[in-house]
Amino acid sequence: MHTENNPIENTNELFSSRVDLSKLKEAVIKIKEQLGKVIVGQEEFMELLLVSLLADGHVLIEGVPGVAKTVTAKLLAKTIATDFSRIQFTPDLMPSDVLGTSVLNMKTSDFEFKKGPIFSNIVLIDEINRAPAKTQAALFEVMEEKQITMDGECYEMNPPFMVLATQNPIEQEGTYALPEAQLDRFLFKINVGYPNLDEEIQIITAHNERKGALPQTKVEAVLTESELLEYRSKVFEVLVEEKIIKYIAQLISNTRNNAHLYLGGSPRASIAVLMASKAFAAINGRDFVIPEDVKKSIYPVLRHRIMLTPEREMEGMTADKVIEMIVQSVEVPR
């Protein structure tokens, strides 16, 4: 038997990694180590943030006050040597407060565009649901097309560009529901819960030992802009077989004709699952996507995109429960 025709002999050659993901995996470990200096538990939260960073997506973070939503987002930004800005959304915030405005230059008698805080690489928007529709609409173009059109001029954002937005699920007074079109622009919606008892003890102990030092002083930058962009290009190269693509399409398609749902996932949701699955594979050192990557991605990708029927909502059913039912109803490719 000839060696070149023996599939057993050639297994290592066939399945050796086509894309070198070793440096990417090392960078992910380094970022997790930095975040772990301050953040206790929240492994899933941190992993989803890293996946969205590599998949070039925006993230909506939802949780009650005090569960380190804002701190974690700020610390993630600090692990990357890049620009960071924070915008606190309030009911009186205007689009110009976010995007910028034209100002008259007295020397030249011409109007000059003064860039707003959105012109950064990683942008933290705190309490995003506190601003009215007019200000929310200002984010539509920049989140999807990574550019801003102002006074007929187009201003492109410098890569990388990522929006991390937080919101509180229980406060309703003075808040505005985000439009579906805007929700669809977020790659993930991450739900952040309370820590367990052991984690709570670790949090209190760590705070006591810091003796007043700010958490961000513990974290250092371990990734450059150019490295991040290089790793993102590696994620695009991750292999996705046709059967995995069909699996993703079936899952999203099943949300559109589901009796429990009033609104299903869009084609943008399908692409989001694809990119998130590639990033999950990459951070695990694999240059190919497996069904488990898709299952990990489907919940944070869909939970803010699907809308339950009023009857199911009144019964207390959740988006995650419906997603679970859909995942169980679709045959996993072998």
Side-chain angles (χ1 to χ4, degrees):
M1 187 181 286
H2 294 292
T3 306
E4 60 267 26
N5 296 325
N6 187 341
I8 296 171
E9 294 287 341
N10 285 328
T11 301
N12 291 335
E13 187 182 329
L14 286 169
F15 293 100
S16 61
S17 186
R18 299 168 307 105
V19 185
D20 182 12
L21 297 167
S22 55
K23 288 183 179 177
L24 184 151
K25 201 174 175 185
E26 282 173 22
V28 168
I29 291 166
K30 283 180 184 176
I31 291 173
K32 283 183 176 178
E33 282 174 357
Q34 291 298 318
L35 295 177
K37 290 179 181 179
V38 177
I39 306 301
V40 176
Q42 307 287 17
E43 281 84 8
E44 186 189 10
F45 179 21
M46 289 191 284
E47 186 174 48
L48 289 173
L49 282 178
L50 288 168
V51 165
S52 57
L53 185 70
L54 290 168
D56 193 13
H58 310 295
V59 179
L60 181 63
I61 308 162
E62 185 172 280
V64 296
V67 290
K69 302 186 299 295
T70 303
V71 169
T72 307
K74 283 174 72 176
L75 294 179
L76 174 70
K78 196 166 183 202
T79 62
I80 304 155
T82 190
D83 288 340
F84 170 77
S85 69
R86 176 179 174 175
I87 312 170
Q88 186 72 44
F89 269 27
T90 56
D92 61 348
L93 198 75
M94 298 297 288
S96 58
D97 297 327
V98 177
L99 304 180
T101 188
S102 294
V103 178
L104 181 64
N105 185 325
M106 300 301 286
K107 289 181 180 177
T108 62
S109 298
D110 288 327
F111 281 95
E112 287 182 0
F113 179 61
K114 295 291 183 185
K115 293 179 178 179
I118 199 72
F119 282 88
S120 190
N121 296 117
I122 296 180
V123 181
L124 171 62
I125 298 177
D126 225 0
E127 296 190 302
I128 190 169
N129 56 342
R130 288 203 170 275
K134 191 175 183 180
T135 306
Q136 296 294 351
L139 296 172
F140 280 30
E141 182 185 13
V142 71
M143 287 180 69
E144 181 62 22
E145 300 168 48
K146 295 182 171 57
Q147 66 176 36
I148 284 167
T149 306
M150 187 71 68
D151 298 330
E153 287 284 328
C154 183
Y155 302 91
E156 292 192 2
M157 312 303 289
N158 292 325
F161 175 70
M162 182 184 188
V163 172
L164 298 165
T166 69
Q167 69 176 18
N168 181 342
I170 57 167
E171 279 189 58
Q172 299 303 320
E173 197 172 331
T175 63
Y176 303 81
L178 299 185
E180 278 69 38
Q182 185 177 4
L183 286 170
D184 204 30
R185 282 162 165 76
F186 285 102
L187 177 76
F188 285 161
K189 179 184 177 185
I190 305 173
N191 291 333
V192 184
Y194 286 119
N196 60 36
L197 182 59
D198 289 339
E199 289 169 347
E200 189 95 26
I201 291 166
Q202 288 179 54
I203 290 166
I204 298 168
T205 305
H207 182 82
N208 185 47
E209 288 172 354
R210 276 201 299 270
K211 301 189 187 305
L214 292 172
Q216 49 265 42
T217 58
K218 298 271 185 184
V219 174
E220 300 167 3
V222 292
L223 193 66
T224 65
E225 273 184 29
S226 58
E227 285 172 337
L228 174 57
L229 295 175
E230 181 194 336
Y231 298 151
R232 279 184 177 177
S233 68
K234 297 275 188 191
V235 170
F236 278 102
E237 292 177 39
V238 171
L239 180 70
V240 187
E241 291 185 0
E242 190 179 343
K243 62 184 181 182
I244 297 287
I245 289 175
K246 284 181 179 176
Y247 180 50
I248 293 169
Q250 282 180 315
L251 287 168
I252 302 301
S253 180
N254 280 18
T255 65
R256 297 170 193 159
N257 48 27
N258 190 292
H260 303 309
L261 297 178
Y262 174 71
L263 179 70
S266 67
R268 193 190 273 136
S270 302
I271 294 166
V273 173
L274 174 74
M275 289 308 301
S277 300
K278 284 184 167 194
F280 267 117
I283 67 171
N284 286 296
R286 270 185 286 104
D287 68 341
F288 57 94
V289 172
I290 59 174
E292 280 65 30
D293 298 322
V294 176
K295 288 179 182 178
K296 277 185 182 179
S297 307
I298 199 83
Y299 289 89
V301 164
L302 279 183
R303 66 167 60 110
H304 58 296
R305 288 180 162 97
I306 60 175
M307 192 183 291
L308 273 67
T309 60
E311 298 81 18
R312 293 293 172 265
E313 213 162 356
M314 286 173 70
E315 288 170 10
M317 189 174 272
T318 62
D320 278 23
K321 183 65 181 170
V322 177
I323 297 165
E324 186 184 345
M325 290 162 62
I326 290 168
V327 169
Q328 289 174 353
S329 70
V330 177
E331 188 182 351
V332 178
R334 298 296 173 196

